[in-house]
Amino acid sequence: MLNNKTQEEARNEILKLVKEYHDAFHNKKKEFKEGDRITYASRVYDSEEMVNLVDASLEFWLTAGRYFYKFESDFAKQFGVKYVSLVNSGSSANLLAFMTLTSPLLGDRQVKRGDEVITVACGFPTTVTPIIQYGAVPVFVDVTIPQYNIDVTKLEDALSSKTKAVMVAHTLGNPFDLETVSKFCKDHNLWLIEDNCDALGSTYDIDGVKKFTGTVGDIGTSSFYPPHHMTMGEGGAVYTSNALLNKIIKSMRDWGRDCICHSGQDNACGHRFDRQYGELPLGYDHKYVYSHFGYNLKPTDLQAAVGVAQLKKFPEFVTKRRENYKRLYNALKPIEDKIILPVPAKNAEPSWFGFLITCREGVDRDKLVGNLESNGIQTRMLFAGNIIKHPCFDQLRACGEGYRVVGELTNTDRIMNDTFWVGLYPGMSNDMLDFMAKMIIEGVRE
């Protein structure tokens, strides 16, 4: 059927059919009825993502290619950051961001084994995991309720002669106190990594300027796993406006190599065979010179193709998340005597990932969650709750080494015992939000 067509004609016909396929079999909207399953998150997409995905597959380049570099460029422009490195997950993004700080190119500011990194125990484990795996020491401080972010009054207490960085997340889209944390880092010459995986699109007004979270610190990270603010299936990004950090990020993402050539490219620097590196012989092929102990953390061009389409929709996603938060907040306000509602940080405009609820005394979190789940409403804990309590910390707790706790983690433990959250994703209808509110209200009054 395609034999008599040019390659471009054949491609256009295939993509036209893909669009028709999508329109016929995907995103068929079903009217919500009470009792239908309400997931905490879901993909929101249309035919453009599917067409891009097939378009990339027809090229069959597979690794970093046309869509890969377009996504990095589009993301940088959209969020006002100079350098973006696409990776295969948000967890890889956090790994890469932290390991970048261990580069010898940073001189006295290099994070070495035994150095300390201030963070929190309440959150997702892969904000902390790279610190421990490298042999640095996470220093845990408590968080606040109802912002669920780092308690900045504990920063000075956490500081020691070994402190080199602060690495914390913006919890479920609610920015932490960036003004205080960034000033603390500047005053003490510390690196700041913003785990922005749950907060893409959130903004913070700092020094009179509104900035996207993830772009205020030295390095920001994002995740494009399906439940997040946008998706490419698996995927993530590391971004910075620091040229040296960008050089290290790119090197460590791409096997630790010194070469800056794109995939399939040779001799971009013009000195592939005429320089001397380390103790290698003069003229050793620059494509195989390694300046760091790195990884291969790139996603495929097919994933990036989905991301390019998602970026176009992203502003609408953020608007809908904020609308959903307001609707659910207003609906639950009458029962504030029973539950604590989430509150934005000062100077922040969150791009909400989820709606956190902390049960007050007399309300059983497990009973309420069980009631919601039995009515088809998916719930989630605030991830680890308190990561120190998990089996992965058994050996560290037993030996009393490898981490440090500053003060009491009172709110962290409160969240572990009394807090959960429900979704706010853009695909939620008002009927779904209203039913969630109805079930929460009934649950706390039983």
Side-chain angles (χ1 to χ4, degrees):
M1 186 172 80
L2 298 178
N3 288 342
N4 296 325
K5 298 181 183 293
T6 66
Q7 184 178 20
E8 185 65 18
E9 289 171 338
R11 173 182 164 278
N12 288 339
E13 183 172 331
I14 291 169
L15 297 183
K16 179 175 178 290
L17 288 170
V18 169
K19 184 179 187 309
E20 291 176 6
Y21 177 88
H22 168 274
D23 294 345
F25 301 110
H26 281 255
N27 286 355
K28 292 289 187 182
K29 288 191 176 181
K30 187 178 85 171
E31 184 178 347
F32 172 76
K33 295 178 182 177
E34 291 191 0
D36 288 348
R37 183 72 166 153
I38 302 176
T39 57
Y40 81 95
S42 184
R43 304 159 301 168
V44 178
Y45 64 98
D46 60 27
S47 61
E48 187 174 7
E49 282 85 348
M50 195 171 289
V51 167
N52 279 10
L53 179 63
V54 174
D55 185 33
S57 72
L58 292 175
E59 291 182 355
F60 212 69
W61 183 251
L62 301 183
T63 188
R66 173 166 61 96
Y67 281 107
F68 183 99
Y69 298 114
K70 179 172 174 52
F71 181 91
E72 289 186 336
S73 175
D74 289 353
F75 188 99
K77 291 174 184 174
Q78 192 156 328
F79 294 100
V81 67
K82 288 184 178 179
Y83 310 108
V84 177
S85 295
L86 195 52
V87 293
N88 55 20
S89 74
S91 297
S92 291
N94 282 343
L95 170 65
L96 183 56
F98 175 75
M99 290 305 295
T100 293
L101 302 186
T102 70
S103 169
L105 297 181
L106 299 178
D108 292 342
R109 298 191 68 191
Q110 175 190 7
V111 175
K112 297 180 179 178
R113 290 171 179 81
D115 284 340
E116 295 183 345
V117 180
I118 298 172
T119 187
V120 300
C122 183
F124 202 75
T126 57
T127 311
V128 175
T129 298
I131 303 169
I132 292 174
Q133 289 179 332
Y134 175 71
V137 179
V139 177
F140 296 108
V141 300
D142 208 2
V143 297
T144 61
I145 299 174
Q147 294 82 21
Y148 303 93
N149 280 311
I150 186 168
D151 184 346
V152 295
T153 67
K154 308 296 184 184
L155 287 171
E156 291 291 343
D157 294 338
L159 186 69
S160 79
S161 60
K162 295 182 178 180
T163 309
K164 285 288 185 71
V166 175
M167 184 172 178
V168 283
H170 300 288
T171 304
L172 291 196
N174 195 11
F176 58 76
D177 184 347
L178 267 168
E179 183 173 12
T180 300
V181 174
S182 59
K183 183 179 185 304
F184 171 79
C185 289
K186 288 174 184 175
D187 288 348
H188 298 288
N189 199 31
L190 308 176
W191 299 110
L192 173 57
I193 296 177
E194 296 178 67
D195 180 340
N196 201 39
C197 290
D198 291 341
L200 191 63
S202 295
T203 60
Y204 190 94
D205 194 316
I206 186 166
D207 297 327
V209 179
K210 184 179 286 190
K211 295 184 177 181
F212 284 108
T213 53
T215 69
V216 176
D218 297 289
I219 303 175
T221 63
S222 283
S223 171
F224 308 130
Y225 188 64
H228 283 99
H229 287 69
M230 56 162 284
T231 187
M232 54 177 67
E234 299 287 353
V238 182
Y239 34 102
T240 183
S241 289
N242 182 307
L244 177 57
L245 292 178
N246 176 60
K247 176 181 178 180
I248 299 166
I249 289 166
K250 289 281 198 283
S251 172
M252 286 194 166
R253 181 193 66 180
D254 300 353
W255 306 283
R257 66 180 187 169
D258 201 73
C259 175
I260 61 171
C261 290
H262 287 174
S263 179
Q265 182 184 49
D266 288 344
N267 207 22
C269 67
H271 297 282
R272 183 178 171 190
F273 297 110
D274 65 4
R275 290 189 173 175
Q276 197 273 325
Y277 301 93
E279 296 185 357
L280 292 167
L282 177 67
Y284 193 83
D285 188 350
H286 188 221
K287 284 188 72 73
Y288 294 98
V289 172
Y290 302 95
S291 51
H292 295 96
F293 297 106
Y295 314 89
N296 179 13
L297 301 178
K298 297 188 302 299
T300 65
D301 213 46
L302 285 75
Q303 292 166 266
V306 175
V308 167
Q310 286 272 290
L311 270 179
K312 295 179 182 178
K313 300 177 176 67
F314 187 76
E316 298 170 16
F317 292 168
V318 174
T319 297
K320 190 64 167 67
R321 285 181 178 275
R322 289 171 178 162
E323 290 173 354
N324 290 349
Y325 164 83
K326 289 177 183 177
R327 189 176 187 92
L328 192 54
Y329 183 93
N330 290 333
L332 296 177
K333 198 161 178 56
I335 57 166
E336 279 191 291
D337 60 324
K338 301 289 187 181
I339 59 175
I340 300 173
L341 300 178
V343 175
K346 183 182 177 183
N347 300 323
E349 189 175 8
S351 172
W352 294 98
F353 182 46
F355 193 97
L356 278 156
I357 293 171
T358 297
C359 297
R360 296 187 187 274
E361 188 175 351
V363 177
D364 186 322
R365 193 264 311 269
D366 294 341
K367 182 179 178 182
L368 177 55
V369 164
N371 183 59
L372 293 174
E373 292 280 353
S374 67
N375 280 280
I377 298 169
Q378 195 173 41
T379 64
R380 287 291 184 266
M381 299 295 105
L382 185 44
F383 307 125
N386 183 346
I387 189 65
I388 298 170
K389 305 283 189 179
H390 286 254
C392 58
F393 263 79
D394 284 352
Q395 289 185 324
L396 294 175
R397 282 198 311 273
C399 70
E401 297 178 352
Y403 69 101
R404 190 160 67 86
V405 177
V406 175
E408 300 294 327
L409 301 184
T410 305
N411 285 335
T412 299
D413 286 339
R414 171 86 189 277
I415 290 165
M416 177 180 65
N417 291 311
D418 298 329
T419 302
F420 71 99
W421 59 278
V422 293
L424 294 170
Y425 74 92
M428 279 189 169
S429 67
N430 287 342
D431 287 343
M432 295 163 74
L433 292 161
D434 293 345
F435 180 68
M436 284 200 303
K438 175 185 173 183
M439 289 296 99
I440 293 168
I441 292 169
E442 289 183 4
V444 301
R445 287 179 174 168
E446 283 184 355

